[in-house]
């Protein structure tokens, strides 16, 4: 596994929670557009990475406020795609995210190439036939 991308920035991505509120949607879109050039500059490659990746994220918080780590990841992953770091965020195979107490707010990101182990199912044809039957019925 080689490191593809490493960056840190002050603050946290906006939460993707309660996206029905128009003000939060605007804030989320604005943040992704602002961070996309930052990610592109840090990545430095001309084409987005199209292989599988492993993502490590640390959110360093100055206090113990209540917020969900997983709600912050959606904006971050979308900004990777907008910034040209990843071709598509479905290629993120493994995610490690944690919140720490310290001098913050700070977000630290490490993106590594990853080779997933995919076990071959010897009964693949049974699943295919079941899928076709379900589709036809």
């Amino acid at each position: 596994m080689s490191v593809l991308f490493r960056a840190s920035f002050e603050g946290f991505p906006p939460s993707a929670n309660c996206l029905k509120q128009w003000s939060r949607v605007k804030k989320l879109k604005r943040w992704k557009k602002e961070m996309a050039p930052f990610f592109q500059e840090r990545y430095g490659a001309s084409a987005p990475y199209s292989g599988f990746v492993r993502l490590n994220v640390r959110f360093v918080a100055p206090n113990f406020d209540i917020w969900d780590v997983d709600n912050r990841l959606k904006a971050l992953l979308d900004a990777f795609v907008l910034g040209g770091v990843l071709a598509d965020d479905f290629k993120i195979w493994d995610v490690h995210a944690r919140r720490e107490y310290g001098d913050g707010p700070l977000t630290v990101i490490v993106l590594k190439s990853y080779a997933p182990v995919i076990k071959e199912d010897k009964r693949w044809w049974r699943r295919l036939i079941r899928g076709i039957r379900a589709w036809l019925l």
Side-chain angles (χ1 to χ4, degrees):
M1 277 186 292
S2 62
V3 175
L4 300 171
F5 178 83
R6 185 178 303 220
S8 63
F9 57 89
E10 290 185 22
F12 303 127
S15 176
N17 197 11
C18 298
L19 285 179
K20 293 178 182 176
Q21 297 176 355
W22 184 245
S23 62
R24 287 195 183 192
V25 171
K26 288 165 85 174
K27 181 180 179 183
L28 185 64
K29 286 182 178 181
R30 187 175 353 117
W31 185 86
K32 288 190 283 190
K33 285 182 182 178
E34 290 172 0
M35 292 304 289
F38 171 79
F39 290 147
Q40 179 60 42
E41 178 185 319
R42 293 282 190 270
Y43 181 54
S46 59
Y49 186 73
S50 60
F52 292 105
V53 294
R54 169 180 277 174
L55 175 67
N56 293 316
V57 182
R58 286 187 310 134
F59 299 109
V60 182
N63 52 31
F64 292 106
D65 285 345
I66 298 172
W67 50 271
D68 294 341
V69 171
D70 60 330
N71 289 337
R72 309 279 176 167
L73 289 174
K74 178 66 177 150
L76 194 61
L77 303 181
D78 290 344
F80 281 154
V81 175
L82 280 176
V85 177
L86 297 176
D88 199 340
D89 57 357
F90 83 92
K91 291 284 194 163
I92 297 176
W93 196 265
D94 193 16
V95 176
H96 296 270
R98 68 177 184 220
R99 179 172 42 186
E100 299 176 356
Y101 176 73
D103 295 331
L106 180 70
T107 302
V108 181
I109 306 161
V110 178
L111 195 64
K112 298 178 180 179
S113 61
Y114 186 66
V117 177
I118 301 173
K119 294 181 181 178
E120 184 177 336
D121 189 0
K122 305 245 190 256
R123 296 175 302 238
W124 62 269
W125 54 273
R126 288 183 187 170
R127 286 195 330 244
L128 177 66
I129 292 171
R130 283 187 203 137
I132 292 171
R133 281 184 189 161
W135 181 72
L136 291 174
L137 299 177

